[in-house]
Short mmCIF file of all heavy atoms in Angstrom, two decimals:
data_model
loop_
_atom_site.label_atom_id
_atom_site.label_comp_id
_atom_site.label_asym_id
_atom_site.label_seq_id
_atom_site.Cartn_x
_atom_site.Cartn_y
_atom_site.Cartn_z
N ASP A 1 -3.37 -15.62 22.41
CA ASP A 1 -2.27 -16.54 22.22
C ASP A 1 -1.15 -15.79 21.50
O ASP A 1 -1.24 -15.49 20.31
CB ASP A 1 -2.77 -17.73 21.43
CG ASP A 1 -1.77 -18.86 21.35
OD1 ASP A 1 -0.64 -18.70 21.84
OD2 ASP A 1 -2.12 -19.90 20.79
N LYS A 2 -0.10 -15.50 22.22
CA LYS A 2 1.01 -14.73 21.64
C LYS A 2 1.75 -15.50 20.55
O LYS A 2 2.28 -14.90 19.63
CB LYS A 2 2.00 -14.34 22.75
CG LYS A 2 1.43 -13.32 23.70
CD LYS A 2 2.42 -12.93 24.74
CE LYS A 2 1.81 -11.92 25.68
NZ LYS A 2 2.75 -11.48 26.69
N LYS A 3 1.77 -16.81 20.67
CA LYS A 3 2.48 -17.62 19.68
C LYS A 3 1.84 -17.51 18.29
O LYS A 3 2.52 -17.52 17.29
CB LYS A 3 2.50 -19.07 20.14
CG LYS A 3 3.28 -19.99 19.22
CD LYS A 3 3.29 -21.40 19.75
CE LYS A 3 4.00 -22.31 18.79
NZ LYS A 3 3.95 -23.71 19.20
N HIS A 4 0.52 -17.39 18.26
CA HIS A 4 -0.21 -17.34 17.00
C HIS A 4 -0.87 -15.99 16.79
O HIS A 4 -1.95 -15.91 16.22
CB HIS A 4 -1.26 -18.45 16.96
CG HIS A 4 -0.67 -19.81 17.04
ND1 HIS A 4 -0.53 -20.49 18.22
CD2 HIS A 4 -0.14 -20.61 16.09
CE1 HIS A 4 0.03 -21.65 17.99
NE2 HIS A 4 0.28 -21.76 16.70
N GLY A 5 -0.23 -14.94 17.27
CA GLY A 5 -0.81 -13.60 17.16
C GLY A 5 -0.89 -13.14 15.71
O GLY A 5 -0.14 -13.57 14.84
N LEU A 6 -1.83 -12.27 15.47
CA LEU A 6 -2.01 -11.70 14.14
C LEU A 6 -1.60 -10.24 14.20
O LEU A 6 -2.25 -9.44 14.86
CB LEU A 6 -3.47 -11.84 13.69
CG LEU A 6 -3.78 -11.39 12.29
CD1 LEU A 6 -2.98 -12.20 11.28
CD2 LEU A 6 -5.25 -11.56 12.00
N PHE A 7 -0.51 -9.90 13.56
CA PHE A 7 0.05 -8.56 13.62
C PHE A 7 -0.36 -7.80 12.36
O PHE A 7 0.40 -7.71 11.40
CB PHE A 7 1.56 -8.63 13.78
CG PHE A 7 1.97 -9.45 14.98
CD1 PHE A 7 2.46 -10.73 14.82
CD2 PHE A 7 1.83 -8.94 16.25
CE1 PHE A 7 2.82 -11.49 15.93
CE2 PHE A 7 2.19 -9.68 17.36
CZ PHE A 7 2.70 -10.97 17.20
N ILE A 8 -1.55 -7.27 12.38
CA ILE A 8 -2.13 -6.64 11.21
C ILE A 8 -1.34 -5.41 10.78
O ILE A 8 -1.15 -5.18 9.59
CB ILE A 8 -3.61 -6.30 11.45
CG1 ILE A 8 -4.38 -7.60 11.57
CG2 ILE A 8 -4.18 -5.43 10.35
CD1 ILE A 8 -5.84 -7.48 11.79
N ASP A 9 -0.85 -4.64 11.75
CA ASP A 9 -0.07 -3.45 11.41
C ASP A 9 1.21 -3.80 10.65
O ASP A 9 1.54 -3.17 9.66
CB ASP A 9 0.28 -2.66 12.67
CG ASP A 9 -0.94 -2.04 13.33
OD1 ASP A 9 -1.93 -1.80 12.61
OD2 ASP A 9 -0.90 -1.81 14.55
N GLU A 10 1.89 -4.83 11.11
CA GLU A 10 3.12 -5.26 10.43
C GLU A 10 2.82 -5.79 9.03
O GLU A 10 3.55 -5.50 8.08
CB GLU A 10 3.83 -6.33 11.25
CG GLU A 10 4.43 -5.83 12.53
CD GLU A 10 5.07 -6.95 13.32
OE1 GLU A 10 5.44 -7.99 12.74
OE2 GLU A 10 5.21 -6.76 14.55
N ILE A 11 1.77 -6.56 8.92
CA ILE A 11 1.39 -7.11 7.62
C ILE A 11 1.01 -5.98 6.66
O ILE A 11 1.42 -5.98 5.50
CB ILE A 11 0.23 -8.11 7.77
CG1 ILE A 11 0.70 -9.33 8.57
CG2 ILE A 11 -0.32 -8.54 6.42
CD1 ILE A 11 -0.41 -10.26 9.01
N SER A 12 0.25 -5.02 7.16
CA SER A 12 -0.17 -3.88 6.33
C SER A 12 1.03 -3.08 5.84
O SER A 12 1.09 -2.67 4.68
CB SER A 12 -1.10 -2.95 7.12
OG SER A 12 -2.29 -3.62 7.43
N GLU A 13 1.99 -2.85 6.73
CA GLU A 13 3.20 -2.12 6.34
C GLU A 13 3.96 -2.85 5.23
O GLU A 13 4.41 -2.23 4.27
CB GLU A 13 4.12 -1.93 7.55
CG GLU A 13 3.63 -0.89 8.52
CD GLU A 13 4.54 -0.78 9.74
OE1 GLU A 13 5.74 -1.14 9.63
OE2 GLU A 13 4.04 -0.32 10.78
N LYS A 14 4.08 -4.16 5.36
CA LYS A 14 4.79 -4.94 4.35
C LYS A 14 4.06 -4.89 3.01
O LYS A 14 4.70 -4.81 1.96
CB LYS A 14 4.95 -6.39 4.81
CG LYS A 14 5.94 -6.54 5.94
CD LYS A 14 6.04 -7.97 6.41
CE LYS A 14 7.02 -8.09 7.55
NZ LYS A 14 7.14 -9.45 8.07
N ILE A 15 2.74 -4.94 3.05
CA ILE A 15 1.97 -4.86 1.82
C ILE A 15 2.13 -3.49 1.18
O ILE A 15 2.37 -3.37 -0.03
CB ILE A 15 0.48 -5.17 2.08
CG1 ILE A 15 0.31 -6.65 2.44
CG2 ILE A 15 -0.38 -4.81 0.87
CD1 ILE A 15 -1.07 -7.03 2.92
N LEU A 16 2.03 -2.45 1.99
CA LEU A 16 2.11 -1.08 1.46
C LEU A 16 3.49 -0.76 0.89
O LEU A 16 3.60 0.06 -0.02
CB LEU A 16 1.74 -0.08 2.54
CG LEU A 16 0.26 -0.03 2.89
CD1 LEU A 16 0.01 0.85 4.10
CD2 LEU A 16 -0.58 0.43 1.71
N LYS A 17 4.53 -1.40 1.40
CA LYS A 17 5.88 -1.19 0.85
C LYS A 17 5.99 -1.69 -0.58
O LYS A 17 6.81 -1.21 -1.35
CB LYS A 17 6.92 -1.90 1.72
CG LYS A 17 7.23 -1.20 3.00
CD LYS A 17 8.29 -1.96 3.77
CE LYS A 17 8.56 -1.32 5.11
NZ LYS A 17 9.55 -2.06 5.88
N ASN A 18 5.17 -2.66 -0.93
CA ASN A 18 5.25 -3.28 -2.25
C ASN A 18 4.17 -2.83 -3.22
O ASN A 18 4.00 -3.42 -4.28
CB ASN A 18 5.18 -4.81 -2.10
CG ASN A 18 6.38 -5.36 -1.37
OD1 ASN A 18 7.51 -5.08 -1.74
ND2 ASN A 18 6.13 -6.09 -0.31
N VAL A 19 3.46 -1.78 -2.86
CA VAL A 19 2.38 -1.27 -3.70
C VAL A 19 2.88 0.00 -4.40
O VAL A 19 3.51 0.85 -3.77
CB VAL A 19 1.13 -0.95 -2.84
CG1 VAL A 19 0.07 -0.25 -3.63
CG2 VAL A 19 0.58 -2.22 -2.23
N PRO A 20 2.60 0.15 -5.68
CA PRO A 20 2.99 1.39 -6.37
C PRO A 20 2.34 2.61 -5.72
O PRO A 20 1.25 2.53 -5.16
CB PRO A 20 2.44 1.19 -7.79
CG PRO A 20 2.20 -0.26 -7.93
CD PRO A 20 1.94 -0.79 -6.57
N GLN A 21 3.04 3.72 -5.78
CA GLN A 21 2.59 4.95 -5.13
C GLN A 21 1.18 5.36 -5.54
O GLN A 21 0.39 5.80 -4.71
CB GLN A 21 3.59 6.08 -5.42
CG GLN A 21 3.35 7.33 -4.60
CD GLN A 21 3.56 7.09 -3.10
OE1 GLN A 21 4.41 6.30 -2.71
NE2 GLN A 21 2.76 7.74 -2.29
N GLN A 22 0.84 5.22 -6.81
CA GLN A 22 -0.48 5.65 -7.28
C GLN A 22 -1.62 4.81 -6.71
O GLN A 22 -2.76 5.24 -6.67
CB GLN A 22 -0.56 5.69 -8.82
CG GLN A 22 -0.43 4.36 -9.50
CD GLN A 22 1.00 4.04 -9.91
OE1 GLN A 22 1.94 4.56 -9.34
NE2 GLN A 22 1.14 3.17 -10.89
N ASN A 23 -1.33 3.60 -6.25
CA ASN A 23 -2.36 2.72 -5.68
C ASN A 23 -2.33 2.67 -4.15
O ASN A 23 -3.18 2.02 -3.54
CB ASN A 23 -2.19 1.30 -6.21
CG ASN A 23 -2.39 1.21 -7.69
OD1 ASN A 23 -3.05 2.05 -8.28
ND2 ASN A 23 -1.80 0.20 -8.30
N LYS A 24 -1.37 3.33 -3.55
CA LYS A 24 -1.15 3.21 -2.12
C LYS A 24 -2.36 3.64 -1.29
O LYS A 24 -2.75 2.96 -0.35
CB LYS A 24 0.07 4.01 -1.71
CG LYS A 24 0.70 3.53 -0.44
CD LYS A 24 2.05 4.15 -0.24
CE LYS A 24 3.06 3.06 -0.52
NZ LYS A 24 4.39 3.36 -0.13
N LYS A 25 -2.99 4.74 -1.66
CA LYS A 25 -4.12 5.24 -0.89
C LYS A 25 -5.30 4.25 -0.95
O LYS A 25 -5.95 3.98 0.07
CB LYS A 25 -4.55 6.61 -1.42
CG LYS A 25 -5.48 7.34 -0.51
CD LYS A 25 -5.63 8.78 -0.96
CE LYS A 25 -6.16 9.59 0.20
NZ LYS A 25 -5.97 11.00 0.02
N TYR A 26 -5.56 3.72 -2.13
CA TYR A 26 -6.65 2.74 -2.29
C TYR A 26 -6.37 1.48 -1.48
O TYR A 26 -7.24 0.97 -0.77
CB TYR A 26 -6.84 2.39 -3.77
CG TYR A 26 -7.83 1.28 -3.99
CD1 TYR A 26 -9.19 1.53 -3.86
CD2 TYR A 26 -7.40 0.00 -4.29
CE1 TYR A 26 -10.11 0.50 -4.05
CE2 TYR A 26 -8.31 -1.03 -4.47
CZ TYR A 26 -9.67 -0.76 -4.36
OH TYR A 26 -10.56 -1.78 -4.53
N VAL A 27 -5.16 0.96 -1.57
CA VAL A 27 -4.80 -0.26 -0.85
C VAL A 27 -4.85 -0.03 0.65
O VAL A 27 -5.34 -0.88 1.41
CB VAL A 27 -3.41 -0.77 -1.29
CG1 VAL A 27 -2.94 -1.92 -0.43
CG2 VAL A 27 -3.43 -1.19 -2.75
N GLU A 28 -4.41 1.13 1.08
CA GLU A 28 -4.45 1.46 2.50
C GLU A 28 -5.90 1.49 3.01
O GLU A 28 -6.21 0.97 4.09
CB GLU A 28 -3.78 2.81 2.74
CG GLU A 28 -3.53 3.13 4.17
CD GLU A 28 -2.68 4.37 4.33
OE1 GLU A 28 -2.54 5.15 3.36
OE2 GLU A 28 -2.16 4.56 5.43
N LYS A 29 -6.78 2.05 2.22
CA LYS A 29 -8.20 2.09 2.57
C LYS A 29 -8.76 0.67 2.66
O LYS A 29 -9.51 0.35 3.58
CB LYS A 29 -8.97 2.91 1.54
CG LYS A 29 -10.44 3.02 1.83
CD LYS A 29 -11.16 3.82 0.75
CE LYS A 29 -12.66 3.77 0.97
NZ LYS A 29 -13.39 4.32 -0.14
N GLN A 30 -8.41 -0.18 1.71
CA GLN A 30 -8.90 -1.56 1.70
C GLN A 30 -8.35 -2.35 2.89
O GLN A 30 -9.08 -3.15 3.50
CB GLN A 30 -8.53 -2.25 0.39
CG GLN A 30 -9.23 -1.67 -0.83
CD GLN A 30 -10.74 -1.75 -0.70
OE1 GLN A 30 -11.29 -2.77 -0.37
NE2 GLN A 30 -11.39 -0.63 -0.96
N LEU A 31 -7.10 -2.12 3.24
CA LEU A 31 -6.52 -2.80 4.40
C LEU A 31 -7.21 -2.36 5.70
O LEU A 31 -7.45 -3.18 6.59
CB LEU A 31 -5.02 -2.53 4.49
CG LEU A 31 -4.16 -3.25 3.45
CD1 LEU A 31 -2.75 -2.71 3.47
CD2 LEU A 31 -4.19 -4.75 3.66
N HIS A 32 -7.52 -1.08 5.77
CA HIS A 32 -8.23 -0.57 6.95
C HIS A 32 -9.63 -1.21 7.03
O HIS A 32 -10.08 -1.62 8.10
CB HIS A 32 -8.34 0.95 6.89
CG HIS A 32 -9.11 1.53 8.03
ND1 HIS A 32 -8.63 1.53 9.32
CD2 HIS A 32 -10.33 2.11 8.08
CE1 HIS A 32 -9.53 2.08 10.11
NE2 HIS A 32 -10.57 2.45 9.37
N GLU A 33 -10.29 -1.32 5.91
CA GLU A 33 -11.62 -1.93 5.86
C GLU A 33 -11.55 -3.41 6.23
O GLU A 33 -12.41 -3.93 6.95
CB GLU A 33 -12.22 -1.75 4.46
CG GLU A 33 -13.69 -1.94 4.38
CD GLU A 33 -14.50 -0.93 5.17
OE1 GLU A 33 -14.05 0.22 5.33
OE2 GLU A 33 -15.57 -1.32 5.66
N LEU A 34 -10.52 -4.09 5.75
CA LEU A 34 -10.31 -5.50 6.08
C LEU A 34 -10.09 -5.67 7.58
O LEU A 34 -10.66 -6.57 8.21
CB LEU A 34 -9.12 -6.05 5.30
CG LEU A 34 -8.74 -7.50 5.56
CD1 LEU A 34 -9.87 -8.43 5.13
CD2 LEU A 34 -7.46 -7.85 4.85
N ASP A 35 -9.29 -4.80 8.17
CA ASP A 35 -9.02 -4.84 9.60
C ASP A 35 -10.32 -4.63 10.38
O ASP A 35 -10.62 -5.36 11.34
CB ASP A 35 -8.00 -3.77 9.97
CG ASP A 35 -7.65 -3.77 11.44
OD1 ASP A 35 -7.58 -4.87 12.04
OD2 ASP A 35 -7.42 -2.68 12.00
N LYS A 36 -11.11 -3.67 9.97
CA LYS A 36 -12.39 -3.38 10.63
C LYS A 36 -13.33 -4.58 10.54
O LYS A 36 -13.93 -5.00 11.53
CB LYS A 36 -13.04 -2.16 10.00
CG LYS A 36 -14.34 -1.73 10.62
CD LYS A 36 -14.85 -0.48 9.92
CE LYS A 36 -16.27 -0.20 10.30
NZ LYS A 36 -17.24 -0.99 9.56
N ASN A 37 -13.44 -5.16 9.36
CA ASN A 37 -14.31 -6.33 9.16
C ASN A 37 -13.83 -7.53 9.97
O ASN A 37 -14.63 -8.29 10.53
CB ASN A 37 -14.40 -6.70 7.69
CG ASN A 37 -15.19 -5.71 6.90
OD1 ASN A 37 -15.98 -4.94 7.44
ND2 ASN A 37 -14.98 -5.70 5.59
N PHE A 38 -12.52 -7.71 10.03
CA PHE A 38 -11.96 -8.82 10.79
C PHE A 38 -12.25 -8.66 12.28
O PHE A 38 -12.62 -9.62 12.96
CB PHE A 38 -10.45 -8.92 10.54
CG PHE A 38 -9.81 -10.11 11.20
CD1 PHE A 38 -10.10 -11.39 10.77
CD2 PHE A 38 -8.94 -9.93 12.26
CE1 PHE A 38 -9.52 -12.49 11.38
CE2 PHE A 38 -8.35 -11.02 12.87
CZ PHE A 38 -8.65 -12.30 12.44
N MET A 39 -12.12 -7.45 12.80
CA MET A 39 -12.42 -7.20 14.21
C MET A 39 -13.90 -7.40 14.51
O MET A 39 -14.27 -7.94 15.55
CB MET A 39 -11.98 -5.80 14.62
CG MET A 39 -10.49 -5.62 14.67
SD MET A 39 -9.77 -6.79 15.84
CE MET A 39 -8.12 -6.89 15.20
N ASP A 40 -14.75 -7.00 13.58
CA ASP A 40 -16.19 -7.24 13.74
C ASP A 40 -16.48 -8.74 13.78
O ASP A 40 -17.29 -9.21 14.58
CB ASP A 40 -16.99 -6.59 12.61
CG ASP A 40 -17.03 -5.09 12.71
OD1 ASP A 40 -16.70 -4.53 13.78
OD2 ASP A 40 -17.39 -4.45 11.69
N TYR A 41 -15.81 -9.48 12.92
CA TYR A 41 -15.96 -10.94 12.86
C TYR A 41 -15.52 -11.58 14.18
O TYR A 41 -16.21 -12.43 14.73
CB TYR A 41 -15.13 -11.47 11.70
CG TYR A 41 -15.04 -12.96 11.59
CD1 TYR A 41 -16.09 -13.71 11.07
CD2 TYR A 41 -13.90 -13.64 12.00
CE1 TYR A 41 -16.01 -15.09 10.97
CE2 TYR A 41 -13.81 -15.01 11.90
CZ TYR A 41 -14.85 -15.74 11.39
OH TYR A 41 -14.77 -17.09 11.28
N LEU A 42 -14.37 -11.14 14.70
CA LEU A 42 -13.88 -11.68 15.97
C LEU A 42 -14.83 -11.35 17.12
O LEU A 42 -15.08 -12.19 17.99
CB LEU A 42 -12.48 -11.15 16.28
CG LEU A 42 -11.35 -11.68 15.42
CD1 LEU A 42 -10.04 -11.02 15.83
CD2 LEU A 42 -11.24 -13.18 15.53
N SER A 43 -15.33 -10.15 17.12
CA SER A 43 -16.27 -9.74 18.17
C SER A 43 -17.52 -10.61 18.14
O SER A 43 -18.01 -11.05 19.18
CB SER A 43 -16.66 -8.28 18.01
OG SER A 43 -15.55 -7.44 18.18
N TYR A 44 -18.02 -10.85 16.94
CA TYR A 44 -19.21 -11.69 16.78
C TYR A 44 -18.97 -13.09 17.34
O TYR A 44 -19.77 -13.61 18.13
CB TYR A 44 -19.62 -11.76 15.30
CG TYR A 44 -20.62 -12.84 15.01
CD1 TYR A 44 -21.97 -12.65 15.32
CD2 TYR A 44 -20.24 -14.04 14.43
CE1 TYR A 44 -22.91 -13.65 15.06
CE2 TYR A 44 -21.16 -15.03 14.16
CZ TYR A 44 -22.49 -14.84 14.48
OH TYR A 44 -23.40 -15.82 14.23
N TRP A 45 -17.86 -13.72 16.96
CA TRP A 45 -17.61 -15.08 17.40
C TRP A 45 -17.29 -15.14 18.88
O TRP A 45 -17.69 -16.09 19.56
CB TRP A 45 -16.49 -15.73 16.58
CG TRP A 45 -17.04 -16.22 15.29
CD1 TRP A 45 -16.88 -15.65 14.06
CD2 TRP A 45 -17.89 -17.35 15.09
NE1 TRP A 45 -17.57 -16.36 13.12
CE2 TRP A 45 -18.21 -17.41 13.72
CE3 TRP A 45 -18.43 -18.31 15.93
CZ2 TRP A 45 -19.03 -18.40 13.19
CZ3 TRP A 45 -19.25 -19.28 15.39
CH2 TRP A 45 -19.52 -19.32 14.04
N ASN A 46 -16.57 -14.16 19.42
CA ASN A 46 -16.30 -14.15 20.86
C ASN A 46 -17.59 -14.00 21.65
O ASN A 46 -17.79 -14.70 22.64
CB ASN A 46 -15.33 -13.02 21.21
CG ASN A 46 -13.91 -13.37 20.87
OD1 ASN A 46 -13.55 -14.53 20.79
ND2 ASN A 46 -13.10 -12.36 20.65
N GLU A 47 -18.46 -13.11 21.22
CA GLU A 47 -19.73 -12.92 21.91
C GLU A 47 -20.56 -14.20 21.85
O GLU A 47 -21.12 -14.64 22.85
CB GLU A 47 -20.51 -11.76 21.28
CG GLU A 47 -21.84 -11.52 21.95
CD GLU A 47 -22.63 -10.41 21.27
OE1 GLU A 47 -22.05 -9.59 20.55
OE2 GLU A 47 -23.85 -10.38 21.49
N LYS A 48 -20.60 -14.80 20.67
CA LYS A 48 -21.39 -16.03 20.51
C LYS A 48 -20.81 -17.16 21.36
O LYS A 48 -21.54 -17.87 22.05
CB LYS A 48 -21.39 -16.43 19.03
CG LYS A 48 -22.23 -17.62 18.73
CD LYS A 48 -22.26 -17.90 17.25
CE LYS A 48 -23.12 -19.11 16.97
NZ LYS A 48 -23.29 -19.37 15.57
N TYR A 49 -19.49 -17.30 21.37
CA TYR A 49 -18.83 -18.35 22.13
C TYR A 49 -19.07 -18.17 23.62
O TYR A 49 -19.47 -19.11 24.31
CB TYR A 49 -17.33 -18.35 21.82
CG TYR A 49 -16.51 -19.24 22.72
CD1 TYR A 49 -16.50 -20.61 22.52
CD2 TYR A 49 -15.76 -18.71 23.75
CE1 TYR A 49 -15.75 -21.44 23.33
CE2 TYR A 49 -15.00 -19.52 24.58
CZ TYR A 49 -15.01 -20.88 24.36
OH TYR A 49 -14.27 -21.69 25.17
N TYR A 50 -18.84 -16.96 24.14
CA TYR A 50 -18.99 -16.75 25.58
C TYR A 50 -20.45 -16.80 26.01
O TYR A 50 -20.76 -17.30 27.08
CB TYR A 50 -18.35 -15.42 26.01
CG TYR A 50 -16.85 -15.52 26.02
CD1 TYR A 50 -16.06 -14.83 25.12
CD2 TYR A 50 -16.21 -16.35 26.94
CE1 TYR A 50 -14.69 -14.95 25.13
CE2 TYR A 50 -14.84 -16.49 26.96
CZ TYR A 50 -14.08 -15.77 26.05
OH TYR A 50 -12.73 -15.90 26.06
N ARG A 51 -21.36 -16.28 25.19
CA ARG A 51 -22.78 -16.35 25.54
C ARG A 51 -23.23 -17.81 25.59
O ARG A 51 -23.89 -18.24 26.53
CB ARG A 51 -23.62 -15.58 24.53
CG ARG A 51 -25.08 -15.53 24.95
CD ARG A 51 -26.00 -14.79 24.02
NE ARG A 51 -25.40 -13.78 23.19
CZ ARG A 51 -25.49 -13.75 21.87
NH1 ARG A 51 -26.15 -14.67 21.21
NH2 ARG A 51 -24.91 -12.80 21.18
N ASN A 52 -22.87 -18.59 24.59
CA ASN A 52 -23.26 -20.00 24.57
C ASN A 52 -22.60 -20.77 25.71
O ASN A 52 -23.22 -21.64 26.31
CB ASN A 52 -22.92 -20.64 23.23
CG ASN A 52 -23.84 -20.18 22.13
OD1 ASN A 52 -24.90 -19.62 22.38
ND2 ASN A 52 -23.44 -20.40 20.90
N GLY A 53 -21.36 -20.45 26.00
CA GLY A 53 -20.66 -21.10 27.11
C GLY A 53 -21.33 -20.78 28.44
O GLY A 53 -21.48 -21.66 29.30
N PHE A 54 -21.75 -19.55 28.61
CA PHE A 54 -22.43 -19.15 29.84
C PHE A 54 -23.78 -19.87 29.96
O PHE A 54 -24.13 -20.38 31.02
CB PHE A 54 -22.63 -17.64 29.87
CG PHE A 54 -23.34 -17.15 31.09
CD1 PHE A 54 -22.67 -17.10 32.31
CD2 PHE A 54 -24.67 -16.78 31.04
CE1 PHE A 54 -23.32 -16.66 33.45
CE2 PHE A 54 -25.33 -16.35 32.17
CZ PHE A 54 -24.66 -16.29 33.38
N VAL A 55 -24.52 -19.91 28.86
CA VAL A 55 -25.83 -20.59 28.87
C VAL A 55 -25.64 -22.07 29.16
O VAL A 55 -26.37 -22.65 29.98
CB VAL A 55 -26.57 -20.36 27.53
CG1 VAL A 55 -27.79 -21.26 27.43
CG2 VAL A 55 -26.97 -18.91 27.39
N ASP A 56 -24.66 -22.71 28.53
CA ASP A 56 -24.42 -24.14 28.78
C ASP A 56 -24.05 -24.37 30.24
O ASP A 56 -24.52 -25.32 30.87
CB ASP A 56 -23.31 -24.66 27.87
CG ASP A 56 -23.72 -24.73 26.41
OD1 ASP A 56 -24.94 -24.66 26.14
OD2 ASP A 56 -22.82 -24.87 25.55
N GLY A 57 -23.20 -23.51 30.78
CA GLY A 57 -22.81 -23.64 32.19
C GLY A 57 -23.99 -23.44 33.11
O GLY A 57 -24.15 -24.16 34.10
N SER A 58 -24.83 -22.46 32.80
CA SER A 58 -26.02 -22.21 33.61
C SER A 58 -26.97 -23.40 33.58
O SER A 58 -27.52 -23.79 34.61
CB SER A 58 -26.77 -20.97 33.10
OG SER A 58 -25.96 -19.84 33.18
N GLN A 59 -27.16 -23.98 32.42
CA GLN A 59 -28.04 -25.14 32.31
C GLN A 59 -27.49 -26.34 33.07
O GLN A 59 -28.24 -27.09 33.69
CB GLN A 59 -28.27 -25.50 30.84
CG GLN A 59 -29.13 -24.51 30.11
CD GLN A 59 -29.23 -24.81 28.62
OE1 GLN A 59 -28.47 -25.59 28.07
NE2 GLN A 59 -30.19 -24.15 27.97
N LEU A 60 -26.17 -26.49 33.05
CA LEU A 60 -25.55 -27.58 33.78
C LEU A 60 -25.76 -27.41 35.28
O LEU A 60 -26.14 -28.35 35.99
CB LEU A 60 -24.04 -27.63 33.46
CG LEU A 60 -23.24 -28.73 34.11
CD1 LEU A 60 -23.70 -30.09 33.56
CD2 LEU A 60 -21.76 -28.53 33.83
N VAL A 61 -25.55 -26.19 35.76
CA VAL A 61 -25.75 -25.92 37.19
C VAL A 61 -27.21 -26.07 37.58
O VAL A 61 -27.54 -26.67 38.61
CB VAL A 61 -25.23 -24.50 37.56
CG1 VAL A 61 -25.65 -24.10 38.95
CG2 VAL A 61 -23.72 -24.45 37.40
N MET A 62 -28.11 -25.54 36.76
CA MET A 62 -29.54 -25.65 37.07
C MET A 62 -30.01 -27.11 37.04
O MET A 62 -30.92 -27.48 37.76
CB MET A 62 -30.37 -24.81 36.08
CG MET A 62 -30.13 -23.32 36.24
SD MET A 62 -30.38 -22.71 37.90
CE MET A 62 -32.14 -22.82 38.01
N GLY A 63 -29.36 -27.93 36.22
CA GLY A 63 -29.70 -29.35 36.16
C GLY A 63 -29.37 -30.06 37.46
O GLY A 63 -29.99 -31.06 37.82
N CYS A 64 -28.42 -29.53 38.23
CA CYS A 64 -28.05 -30.14 39.52
C CYS A 64 -29.13 -29.90 40.57
O CYS A 64 -29.22 -30.64 41.54
CB CYS A 64 -26.73 -29.54 40.01
SG CYS A 64 -25.33 -29.98 38.99
N PHE A 65 -29.92 -28.85 40.38
CA PHE A 65 -30.93 -28.49 41.38
C PHE A 65 -32.31 -29.07 41.06
O PHE A 65 -33.23 -28.94 41.85
CB PHE A 65 -31.04 -26.97 41.52
CG PHE A 65 -29.79 -26.36 42.06
CD1 PHE A 65 -29.03 -25.51 41.28
CD2 PHE A 65 -29.36 -26.62 43.35
CE1 PHE A 65 -27.89 -24.94 41.77
CE2 PHE A 65 -28.19 -26.07 43.85
CZ PHE A 65 -27.45 -25.21 43.05
N ASP A 66 -32.47 -29.67 39.90
CA ASP A 66 -33.76 -30.25 39.54
C ASP A 66 -33.91 -31.62 40.17
O ASP A 66 -33.30 -32.59 39.75
CB ASP A 66 -33.90 -30.39 38.00
CG ASP A 66 -34.05 -29.05 37.32
OD1 ASP A 66 -34.45 -28.08 38.00
OD2 ASP A 66 -33.77 -28.97 36.10
N ASP A 67 -34.69 -31.69 41.21
CA ASP A 67 -34.93 -32.98 41.87
C ASP A 67 -36.38 -33.16 42.17
O ASP A 67 -37.15 -32.43 42.50
CB ASP A 67 -34.14 -33.10 43.17
CG ASP A 67 -32.69 -33.46 42.90
OD1 ASP A 67 -32.32 -33.67 41.74
OD2 ASP A 67 -31.93 -33.52 43.88
#
């Protein structure tokens, strides 16, 4: 959904602009870790959603053939 897109790179840049130089490396590492964790989270939910949707659809179709 382009309207509700999450632009992590832009957000990270804005955060890093407001971080003192001595903390920049640490904050950058944390932002990278947050991005990685968020992508893992999205992958988990997408897999779960599509797998369950496929199973539900399969059960619905198989229910049509049970006579």
Side-chain angles (χ1 to χ4, degrees):
D1 189 356
K2 290 182 181 181
K3 183 178 177 185
H4 298 94
L6 184 60
F7 305 103
I8 293 181
D9 293 334
E10 290 178 23
I11 295 169
S12 295
E13 286 177 24
K14 289 178 181 179
I15 291 171
L16 288 172
K17 283 181 184 178
N18 295 307
V19 172
Q21 190 64 34
Q22 65 267 23
N23 297 336
K24 204 168 253 192
K25 194 169 199 163
Y26 173 75
V27 172
E28 191 171 16
K29 181 181 173 190
Q30 294 301 312
L31 287 170
H32 177 70
E33 198 63 31
L34 178 64
D35 182 36
K36 182 178 168 279
N37 290 340
F38 185 68
M39 290 301 156
D40 289 345
Y41 173 78
L42 288 179
S43 296
Y44 166 77
W45 279 104
N46 282 335
E47 180 183 340
K48 184 176 180 175
Y49 171 77
Y50 286 112
R51 185 180 335 124
N52 288 344
F54 179 75
V55 170
D56 290 345
S58 299
Q59 289 174 346
L60 182 66
V61 169
M62 293 306 288
C64 293
F65 295 114
D66 290 338
D67 281 357

